[in-house]
Amino acid sequence: MRRDGRGRGVSVAAATALVCALGLSAMPETAYAAPGEPGPTPGGGGGTGGGGTGDRSLEAVRQEVEGLYRKAESATDAYNLAREKQARQEKSILRIARAVVKAQKEMAGLRKRAGAMARAQYRGGGMPAEARLFLNGDPGEFLDGVTLARKGEKATHGLIGRLARTQVALDRYAESASQEWERLDRSRAKKAAAKKEILRKLARAQRLESRLAKDERERLRRLEEDKARGAQAKWLDTGILRELGGGATDKGGRAVDFAKDQLGKDYVWGAVGPNTYDCSGLTQRAWAAAGRAIPRTSQEQWRLLPKVSVKDMRPGDLIIYFRDASHVGMYVGGGAIIHAPRPGRQVTVAGAGSMPILGVVRPDAR
């Protein structure tokens, strides 16, 4: 990692070393269910109330809480994506409205010209210009009149054509605006539904945690750490660290430095800094600080950013987690990431292999 001489850099380096050291320790004794599998049956010690919760029932709580937060994260991506679509559609409608105003002004001018031409013809007695030409006995005036008539006819045809094209454009804008409004309504509905689902799951997870006694909440935290440590140990056992070694680019180093400076800040749903973050809000802001704009959500970061293999990753790369790409952390070297884990937790250093890796993306790939 770059510039480890700074205060935060030293602490991150130490934490990274600790992550790796802990990852190589013995696997925890607790048996954990795989994601999506039913958790252990709670023991007979009083459920998840104020006290007496056994380790196995606490593990069941951990699994349920983790599952709820994971589903909320996935729904958060849907919410953020719908919000981005809504913003784009609002801008599109604004562009259409401006184009309509411009076309309406042009149409008013064209109609004014058409009215002037009609009045001129009325003042000529309603007789077509061609008839007046043939009734003219002066040959010179006749020839001049032919030229003017042709110009007038061309101008008339041009005016009629412009009127028709402008009317077509107005009709097209009206149709586009109608379609964009319908899309906007759908995006708003999706966003509202996603937000409702997120808040419901977050509230349930927080209720589950709030029912635990203080010592049980601390044991819950330790269970989470044990699970992450066990997954990291398995990942390190593959020998992956022997393959990693690429240094950060200048931009990647700046992104890592930004992420380091956010350590200890609270996770808050939907937050993008500067005082609180969610997982993809942190990575987006870190890369913005490095001068590179990236998508807002972990799913869009996975879909749109260049992918690299895990063995080729370098500090600053983003590791996308879980099959639905619902979580993201920044690789900082030494087998570690910085990420915003979940509500009730803070931006922290963790093992890069502590969660199921979907893949790696590189914001500054050339």
Side-chain angles (χ1 to χ4, degrees):
M1 297 192 304
R2 300 168 69 255
R3 294 187 283 280
D4 282 340
R6 301 187 330 181
R8 280 288 175 93
V10 172
S11 64
V12 172
T16 300
L18 181 61
V19 164
C20 294
L22 290 175
L24 293 169
S25 65
M27 292 285 288
E29 294 180 3
T30 309
Y32 301 108
E37 292 180 1
T41 304
T48 59
T53 303
D55 284 341
R56 287 181 63 80
S57 60
L58 192 61
E59 166 60 9
V61 172
R62 184 202 65 76
Q63 288 187 14
E64 185 170 1
V65 166
E66 182 182 287
L68 287 165
Y69 281 132
R70 282 263 300 104
K71 289 174 183 176
E73 262 194 324
S74 185
T76 296
D77 265 12
Y79 171 84
N80 286 330
L81 194 55
R83 185 172 60 181
E84 286 184 354
K85 284 183 178 178
Q86 178 181 328
R88 287 196 299 269
Q89 285 152 2
E90 287 171 347
K91 288 179 181 178
S92 178
I93 289 170
L94 184 59
R95 285 195 300 269
I96 291 169
R98 286 171 178 163
V100 167
V101 169
K102 183 179 177 182
Q104 285 174 336
K105 285 181 179 178
E106 184 178 4
M107 179 67 84
L110 291 171
R111 284 174 174 163
K112 187 175 180 180
R113 286 175 57 189
M117 291 174 69
R119 287 191 295 273
Q121 186 177 8
Y122 176 78
R123 285 194 296 270
M127 184 181 293
E130 294 84 351
R132 291 199 300 273
L133 278 172
F134 283 109
L135 292 174
N136 193 330
D138 188 321
E141 287 186 8
F142 176 81
L143 291 174
D144 290 342
V146 168
T147 302
L148 289 171
R150 284 177 177 170
K151 287 182 178 178
E153 184 181 4
K154 185 176 180 180
T156 301
H157 287 163
L159 180 62
I160 292 170
R162 286 183 65 186
L163 276 166
R165 288 193 297 273
T166 304
Q167 186 61 56
V168 168
L170 280 169
D171 292 343
R172 186 174 66 249
Y173 290 143
E175 183 179 0
S176 296
S178 177
Q179 290 173 350
E180 287 300 325
W181 275 113
E182 288 175 7
R183 293 190 190 102
L184 182 59
D185 284 342
R186 288 197 296 271
S187 291
R188 284 172 173 161
K190 285 181 181 177
K191 190 177 79 168
K195 184 173 182 178
K196 184 177 180 181
E197 180 70 6
I198 291 161
L199 296 178
R200 188 177 69 81
K201 292 185 185 308
L202 291 178
R204 175 162 173 74
Q206 287 159 2
R207 281 198 304 272
L208 283 169
E209 289 191 274
S210 69
R211 291 173 188 160
L212 299 173
K214 183 178 179 180
D215 66 320
E216 289 179 317
R217 286 197 294 272
E218 183 56 34
R219 291 201 340 257
L220 178 64
R221 182 187 285 270
R222 288 201 301 269
L223 279 174
E224 290 176 357
E225 292 170 353
D226 286 347
K227 183 175 184 294
R229 192 160 53 242
Q232 175 74 351
K234 286 184 177 180
W235 187 68
L236 292 175
D237 284 345
T238 65
I240 186 68
L241 284 188
R242 291 193 295 272
E243 300 184 53
L244 300 175
T249 61
D250 182 59
K251 284 186 177 180
R254 292 204 300 271
V256 169
D257 284 345
F258 180 92
K260 288 190 231 176
D261 289 338
Q262 313 316 306
L263 288 169
K265 293 184 178 181
D266 287 339
Y267 178 110
V268 170
W269 172 72
V272 292
N275 299 317
T276 56
Y277 295 92
D278 64 15
C279 67
S280 56
L282 174 64
T283 54
Q284 184 192 42
R285 287 298 183 225
W287 271 100
R292 174 78 165 90
I294 66 172
R296 168 67 180 91
T297 72
S298 57
Q299 290 173 344
E300 289 294 277
Q301 289 170 6
W302 172 245
R303 188 174 72 86
L304 297 174
L305 295 177
K307 296 175 177 60
V308 297
S309 67
V310 174
K311 65 181 179 62
D312 292 329
M313 68 181 174
R314 64 193 184 199
D317 288 347
L318 305 181
I319 305 181
I320 309 297
Y321 293 98
F322 304 106
R323 284 181 296 181
D324 59 359
S326 59
H327 192 73
V328 60
M330 178 178 291
Y331 184 63
V332 295
I337 60 167
I338 290 176
H339 74 140
R342 68 166 178 84
R345 302 290 184 258
Q346 292 73 41
V347 176
T348 188
V349 178
S354 59
M355 295 168 283
I357 296 174
L358 177 64
V360 179
V361 293
R362 178 165 294 165
D364 62 339
R366 291 180 177 84

